[in-house]
Amino acid sequence: MRKKFHIETFGCQMNKSDSELMVLSLSRSGFDKTDIEAEADIHIFNTCSVRQHAEDRVISRIENMRAGIKPESIIVITGCMAQNRKDKLTNGIADIIIGPYQGPKIGEILDNYFKDKTGNNFLSQSYNDFSPRIDFGLTDCKDDIAWHKWITITHGCENFCSYCIVPYVRGPLISFPSDTIIKYAGELAAKGITEVTLLGQNVNQYGMDSDIPFYRLLEKIAGIREFRKVGFLTSHPKDFDDNIIYVIRDNENISKAVHLPFQSGSNTILKQMNRQYTRERYLEIMEKIDKTLEEYSVSTDIIVGFPGETEEDFNATLDVVRKVRFDEAFTYAYSPREGTASYHFEEKLTREEKIERLNTLIDVHRSIVKEKLTARIGRHENMTVENVSKRSEEEVIGRTSLNHPVVISGGEEDIGKRLEIKIGGLRGATLLAERIN
Ligand code: SAH
Ligand code: SF4
Ligand code: F3S
């Protein structure tokens, strides 16, 4: 009997991409994917350690799941938490743990496990064992958008922002060779993929350890004309040079939705965070984008309540939010991570005070988003339909070319279509539109 696996992914896009590689590896080794948890013989959790909450969620998911699963089924923890908490996880929580770079080998690892169960129930690989490997492949992950693929261009990170666990769990920066990436992108295009996102913890550093700079790679990928949309994640203000902005401007198929985390608007805090740029430099980049790109949207990541953040520092963050007017912001309360530099910085704020700042920030940001979206009413735009709405079978959801969420009437037959639409209104932070072609 072929064994079935169920996979649940936490954390960032890198993990989503890794999960796709795991599905591929498992199917090559003769395991079948199921979306029904109770049917699975293998439960895989691809985990994140970036904040304490991310780790707590996985543990409580596993605890709550136990009653409804086959008693003989096994639990496999992969990804960053497997690396970060290997000792804790082998203590009765997981049967197997597999570090972040062993995903492409998971089929082989599980195959061996089922052949020889004795004493072989602990398989952790540290990132130190990692040798650069590129194992791209096409998979049929159901929760993925069929016409889109992630393309990992770098692994690891060595920026050591003082709050961040990623360099410890993902190891140093490794850029994959550009000719391999370009060849793979060409293969994707030939198979009908029309949208790709280049992935790395700081993609702007691509090629700094060898090869061509990031903006050249981006240009080459955009040169594959079958791609109607090329995105990239994540950028870092310290390495975001003007050449990148010019390449975005000069290539119609590069996404004009720019994601650039700023984390804090206070220079004192930025220094403590080891971010290596100032608020002035960040605002300068935003100004350059504004002057260079005709139409664009901007999103960001922000941390509130970093150790030592005063009311004044926090106001400086709010000030950047008001000045830049982001279309989307991923906002987080600071979470101390053991092993990072800031773990020992003295925290003066209580959890409640951090949450209060977070809520203030979210309120300011939301009202700006509302104003920005309202300003789009009456415009003609393009959208790509991603899914049938969860609210109604007669509605479909998608994103405009600037990445704003949008709803129109339609059905399953519309999924994957690129439509011309007219924006008619707003429902919460989602645009309401009607098709005009
Ligand atoms: N490589 C990306 C993403 C890193 S993790 C980058 O450099 O931007 C994604 C986001 O999580 C970060 O941008 C940061 O805003 C947030 N984050 C990381 N560590 C955190 C911590 N210890 N507490 C709270 N938020 C954190
Ligand atoms: Fe973490 Fe900084 Fe690297 Fe991003 S750039 S992954 S925040 S250390
Ligand atoms: Fe989390 Fe690892 Fe990504 S810690 S944010 S899943 S790189």
Side-chain angles (χ1 to χ4, degrees):
M1 258 284 269
R2 283 165 73 97
K3 288 198 163 31
K4 290 186 179 159
F5 66 93
H6 181 271
I7 182 162
E8 197 171 334
T9 309
F10 297 79
C12 65
Q13 285 80 3
M14 196 65 92
N15 263 14
K16 286 189 192 163
S17 167
D18 291 348
S19 287
E20 291 190 359
L21 291 179
M22 289 199 261
V23 173
L24 182 75
S25 165
L26 287 160
S27 45
R28 279 177 183 160
S29 295
F31 297 98
D32 293 325
K33 183 169 178 271
T34 174
D35 293 326
I36 305 163
E37 213 164 61
E39 265 187 5
D41 306 292
I42 305 156
H43 301 271
I44 303 167
F45 294 88
N46 193 12
T47 60
C48 172
S49 276
V50 85
R51 282 168 290 277
Q52 188 56 44
H53 179 65
E55 294 195 342
D56 295 345
R57 262 179 69 210
V58 174
I59 300 297
S60 65
R61 260 294 283 128
I62 293 174
E63 277 160 7
N64 294 335
M65 178 193 73
R66 281 190 199 277
I69 60 172
K70 288 189 189 175
E72 70 281 10
S73 62
I74 63 162
I75 292 174
V76 181
I77 297 189
T78 65
C80 297
M81 196 177 164
Q83 183 69 36
N84 195 33
R85 301 279 184 211
K86 37 186 170 298
D87 303 334
K88 190 178 165 201
L89 295 174
T90 41
N91 199 7
I93 298 173
D95 296 285
I96 300 181
I97 63 170
I98 298 174
Y101 293 128
Q102 307 308 315
K105 279 210 238 155
I106 190 173
E108 207 182 305
I109 294 173
L110 287 187
D111 204 26
N112 289 338
Y113 173 82
F114 286 113
K115 278 185 192 138
D116 166 28
K117 277 191 188 171
T118 47
N120 189 18
N121 64 346
F122 172 64
L123 280 158
S124 158
Q125 312 277 344
S126 102
Y127 61 75
N128 295 326
D129 301 335
F130 170 68
S131 53
R133 176 181 44 240
I134 195 156
D135 188 356
F136 293 131
L138 286 165
T139 75
D140 60 351
C141 254
K142 196 169 170 274
D143 54 1
D144 192 28
I145 299 170
W147 58 93
H148 171 271
K149 278 282 158 222
W150 308 102
I151 302 182
T152 301
I153 63 168
T154 65
H155 267 169
C157 180
E158 49 198 41
N159 289 316
F160 291 96
C161 301
S162 64
Y163 51 81
C164 185
I165 194 80
V166 173
Y168 304 91
V169 291
R170 292 253 171 190
L173 175 78
I174 292 165
S175 303
F176 289 118
S178 59
D179 49 0
T180 317
I181 295 169
I182 294 159
K183 184 166 165 277
Y184 174 63
E187 285 164 13
L188 291 181
K191 295 218 168 159
I193 295 296
T194 55
E195 291 186 11
V196 291
T197 309
L198 306 182
L199 267 191
Q201 295 302 338
N202 171 5
V203 284
N204 310 148
Q205 269 179 320
Y206 175 82
M208 282 186 184
D209 48 345
S210 66
D211 223 314
I212 55 174
F214 173 67
Y215 74 93
R216 286 239 182 272
L217 179 70
L218 182 60
E219 200 170 30
K220 283 180 191 273
I221 300 292
I224 300 174
R225 286 296 149 194
E226 286 90 344
F227 291 154
R228 60 186 189 192
K229 192 160 156 195
V230 177
F232 55 92
L233 278 175
T234 303
S235 290
H236 193 308
K238 83 179 168 64
D239 300 307
F240 197 87
D241 64 37
D242 289 356
N243 287 322
I244 301 171
I245 305 176
Y246 299 141
V247 170
I248 299 174
R249 177 195 60 194
D250 297 341
N251 290 273
E252 209 218 326
N253 60 353
I254 297 182
S255 168
K256 306 292 180 275
V258 181
H259 181 66
L260 194 59
F262 81 93
Q263 313 296 2
S264 169
S266 150
N267 283 337
T268 324
I269 298 296
L270 284 173
K271 208 169 166 74
Q272 294 284 313
M273 286 178 163
N274 188 30
R275 288 290 286 179
Q276 300 172 59
Y277 55 87
T278 59
R279 68 178 269 131
E280 290 75 21
R281 172 63 191 141
Y282 187 84
L283 292 172
E284 193 181 275
I285 298 171
M286 284 296 155
E287 211 180 307
K288 183 81 189 180
I289 290 174
D290 191 59
K291 284 203 178 115
T292 315
L293 305 181
E294 221 169 278
E295 270 248 281
Y296 67 93
S297 62
V298 270
S299 55
T300 199
D301 293 357
I302 307 166
I303 298 175
V304 300
F306 187 81
E309 183 189 80
T310 62
E311 197 67 37
E312 204 184 333
D313 294 322
F314 176 60
N315 284 333
T317 295
L318 289 180
D319 184 58
V320 171
V321 170
R322 290 196 180 100
K323 281 202 167 85
V324 179
R325 298 173 62 78
F326 295 99
D327 295 80
E328 200 167 6
F330 301 91
T331 52
Y332 308 104
Y334 170 74
S335 169
R337 310 310 292 136
E338 210 174 333
T340 63
S342 68
Y343 186 68
H344 299 289
F345 294 2
E346 195 193 340
E347 284 204 76
K348 296 216 174 75
L349 297 176
T350 61
R351 173 98 197 129
E352 289 66 36
E353 283 166 327
K354 280 196 252 182
I355 299 296
E356 202 181 310
R357 284 192 187 171
L358 188 63
N359 288 335
T360 307
L361 172 66
I362 292 170
D363 283 349
V364 170
H365 166 66
R366 277 208 185 131
S367 68
I368 293 168
V369 171
K370 206 159 185 183
E371 282 170 28
K372 287 190 85 169
L373 292 179
T374 306
R376 304 203 80 81
I377 294 175
R379 285 185 187 229
H380 289 188
E381 302 204 18
N382 283 312
M383 80 172 285
T384 306
V385 179
E386 288 179 0
N387 249 317
V388 175
S389 157
K390 286 201 181 107
R391 274 185 170 214
S392 151
E393 280 178 11
E394 280 145 30
E395 284 180 347
V396 287
I397 54 167
R399 296 259 172 182
T400 67
S401 50
L402 290 182
N403 216 31
H404 294 130
V406 59
V407 172
I408 60 164
S409 60
E412 198 147 345
E413 66 284 0
D414 292 315
I415 294 177
K417 282 188 191 159
R418 187 174 234 198
L419 302 173
E420 271 178 51
I421 53 169
K422 185 179 175 194
I423 310 296
L426 210 63
R427 184 198 285 161
T430 304
L431 294 169
L432 301 173
E434 55 191 56
R435 64 182 90 194
I436 51 176
N437 61 346

